[in-house]
Amino acid sequence: MLKMFKKKGEQIFAPAAGTVMALADVPDPVFASGAVGEGFAVEPVEGNFASPVDGELILVAKTLHAFAVRTAAGAEILVHIGMDTVKLKGEGFTAHRAKGDSVKQGDVIISCDLAAMTPLVPSMATPVLLTNGKDFAVAETDIDGANGTAVITVRKK
């Protein structure tokens, strides 16, 4: 079974409608450098942020600016909504799910009023990161993929 997983990998989808971009293009040096993890980002065009994978919600930040999902295979995917949004202290964000919930790819986890938040922060670019890169690797990337297709595929090392 493990061999089959290694071949197939887990597909990670964009958590929001918008333009998918390379992590290097995120206007924040820590995210752009890959220091937090490998992945991609989305410049959202609407304020619903959904799970990029099926799994368990292992983090919903108190300030609602980020959440993380662990897949059945153990890949941990962090979605960080915008840059410096932690400074908003949760203002403008609404949580729709809680830590410990089982979620499916596409389930809305957090929403916000994008038009109201955009002027308050440097960018709403939303990194989607593989945070346990010691166990997993990004095997494929399709930054040009249309909305609704997997952007990256991760495989167990």
Side-chain angles (χ1 to χ4, degrees):
M1 190 64 152
L2 186 61
K3 274 189 175 166
M4 193 173 116
F5 172 78
K6 274 192 168 190
K7 210 171 180 188
K8 187 176 175 230
E10 297 212 52
Q11 297 187 315
I12 316 302
F13 292 82
T19 305
V20 174
M21 59 200 277
L23 207 52
D25 296 334
V26 171
D28 179 283
V30 176
F31 287 115
S33 72
V36 183
E38 284 187 85
F40 63 95
V42 177
E43 187 64 57
V45 293
E46 49 94 32
N48 288 326
F49 296 89
S51 180
V53 293
D54 292 351
E56 179 190 350
L57 203 50
I58 57 170
L59 167 80
V60 176
K62 281 184 182 148
T63 52
L64 305 180
H65 74 287
F67 63 90
V69 181
R70 182 185 301 122
T71 68
E76 295 179 359
I77 309 299
L78 173 72
V79 176
H80 190 284
I81 302 165
M83 300 294 115
D84 293 347
T85 46
V86 67
K87 293 176 181 168
L88 300 176
K89 298 184 170 104
E91 197 67 39
F93 289 108
T94 302
H96 299 277
R97 303 301 288 267
K99 181 181 173 184
D101 284 1
S102 269
V103 295
K104 294 275 184 211
Q105 185 266 318
D107 287 353
V108 175
I109 310 298
I110 293 172
S111 61
C112 68
D113 180 343
L114 202 59
M117 295 188 98
T118 299
L120 304 177
V121 296
S123 170
M124 283 304 292
T126 298
V128 180
L129 307 166
L130 171 67
T131 58
N132 58 341
K134 67 186 185 313
D135 300 321
F136 288 82
V138 174
E140 295 168 36
T141 304
D142 182 14
I143 295 294
D144 300 320
N147 282 342
T149 62
V151 179
I152 61 173
T153 300
V154 298
R155 292 196 177 107
K156 208 167 195 130
K157 284 185 178 175

